[in-house]
Amino acid sequence: GIYIVSFLSGLADVDVLTVSLAQLANNGLEQSLARNGIIIAAVTNVAVKGGIALFFGGKQFGRLVLSFFLVLIGIGLGTMLL
């Protein structure tokens, strides 16, 4: 459930989810679950912003931004494996 909500939240904003999961982690939620939820939201948000850059900025700008964002997404997903 937390991962689905994290993904959906990442489509728009990650701030509220980050604060909520951090507070829940202090009150009994497994820290790894909270961490992974925050990472999922952040990675989703970066992917959405990359899509916006591609759509509104054109192919050349979008590819440049997406190339950097793919590195960020890879780092984020790799962090979940720790």
Side-chain angles (χ1 to χ4, degrees), residues 3-65:
Y3 292 164
I4 293 170
V5 171
S6 296
F7 174 78
L8 293 174
S9 179
L11 294 174
D13 187 31
V14 296
D15 297 335
V16 173
L17 179 92
T18 300
V19 171
S20 296
L21 287 179
Q23 288 176 344
L24 287 171
N26 284 332
N27 293 319
L29 181 68
E30 285 185 41
Q31 288 185 357
S32 62
L33 187 62
R35 178 198 68 204
N36 289 345
I38 292 169
I39 291 170
I40 288 169
V43 166
T44 302
N45 193 260
V46 167
V48 167
K49 289 178 182 180
I52 291 170
L54 181 64
F55 184 78
F56 287 108
K59 285 185 181 180
Q60 185 177 5
F61 178 72
R63 287 183 184 157
L64 176 66
V65 170

